[in-house]
Amino acid sequence: MGSLSKDDRAEVIQAWYMDDSDEDQRLPHHRNPKEFVSFEKLDELGVLSWKLDADKYETDPELKKIREARGYSYMDFCEVCPEKLPNYDEKIKSFYEEHLHTDEEIRYCVAGSGYFDVRDHDESWIRIWVKKGAMIVLPAGIYHRFTLDSNNYIKAMRLFVGDPVWTPFNRPHDHLPARQEYVETFVKKAGADQAVDAAA
């Protein structure tokens, strides 16, 4: 995945460019041929990730360290499956609407699996598959969406700085300060870096 040394995150997180098919959103939607995305590329988009031990999340010193360093004071759990989520069909549709948040979206998959789709700098969709043990942080202002995979189940820890605000702003919301800051920090920076590389 872009690096010769093995990254243990690859055991619980994979990312790839999506095709344009409108088939079932829970399918992998690989391009043909498959185009995998490196953790370095996700970093460039502001997407952070860790592999943690989901069997000991209650006492895990690594999770505690991340929470303290990033100020994640709030924590709860969300189970997404037909049996556990009220208004399941409606909720799954709303999760899959392209949207942004004005704060980070932090999810730690403690059971099951699912897909977070994010836009790259060229507006292409990148699908990020998270499995048990994966923790992911989507930056404020990034356009994204979520869906289950064909296993139809995920249990995720939701973390937040302070009191949680889960408000989604469906695209377009480019006028929001969180979006403008994201574009300044990640999109324009990437464009400037590419221009420098091209001139070299």
Side-chain angles (χ1 to χ4, degrees):
M1 275 206 183
S3 172
L4 294 177
S5 63
K6 180 160 170 17
D7 189 320
D8 65 349
R9 291 176 294 177
E11 296 170 22
V12 295
I13 301 168
Q14 292 177 14
W16 56 81
Y17 278 103
M18 292 182 71
D19 65 18
D20 296 324
S21 162
D22 56 7
E23 276 186 281
D24 186 344
Q25 68 196 42
R26 297 167 308 145
L27 296 174
H29 286 280
H30 279 285
R31 287 182 178 174
N32 188 5
K34 293 177 180 179
E35 286 182 63
F36 287 95
V37 173
S38 68
F39 288 109
E40 292 80 10
K41 174 71 174 175
L42 295 179
D43 289 344
E44 289 170 16
L45 298 173
V47 177
L48 307 177
S49 59
W50 295 264
K51 178 188 178 215
L52 299 172
D53 185 348
D55 290 325
K56 64 172 191 175
Y57 64 81
E58 292 172 354
T59 58
D60 185 4
E62 187 66 21
L63 175 60
K64 185 173 189 259
K65 200 162 60 176
I66 294 166
R67 287 187 65 181
E68 287 173 357
R70 299 187 65 81
Y72 299 150
S73 53
Y74 176 89
M75 182 267 287
D76 72 6
F77 289 92
C78 179
E79 273 188 289
V80 182
C81 63
E83 301 78 29
K84 300 272 183 158
L85 188 66
N87 305 318
Y88 172 80
D89 290 327
E90 186 183 308
K91 286 267 174 61
I92 281 292
K93 279 194 187 107
S94 74
F95 293 161
Y96 203 61
E97 284 286 321
E98 184 175 3
H99 63 278
L100 61 79
H101 301 286
T102 55
D103 296 281
E104 290 180 336
E105 179 165 327
I106 307 108
R107 297 292 182 271
Y108 175 15
C109 179
V110 297
S113 51
Y115 296 124
F116 288 90
D117 300 338
V118 298
R119 290 283 191 187
D120 78 353
H121 301 312
D122 299 317
E123 293 291 308
S124 296
W125 280 115
I126 294 174
R127 172 150 279 190
I128 305 168
W129 190 23
V130 299
K131 296 178 259 187
K132 180 181 176 180
M135 182 169 166
I136 189 170
V137 177
L138 304 182
I142 192 172
Y143 281 120
H144 66 283
R145 61 191 182 189
F146 172 80
T147 188
L148 291 173
D149 59 20
S150 54
N151 293 318
N152 284 323
Y153 179 77
I154 192 169
K155 180 177 181 181
M157 178 187 291
R158 303 188 298 182
L159 297 160
F160 206 83
V161 177
D163 293 328
V165 180
W166 311 122
T167 309
F169 294 94
N170 288 352
R171 192 166 193 177
H173 266 86
D174 293 345
H175 65 282
L176 289 177
R179 178 62 187 170
Q180 292 169 357
E181 192 174 316
Y182 178 80
V183 168
E184 246 350 275
T185 305
F186 295 105
V187 179
K188 288 187 178 174
K189 179 184 178 300
D193 289 349
Q194 287 172 352
V196 168
D197 289 346

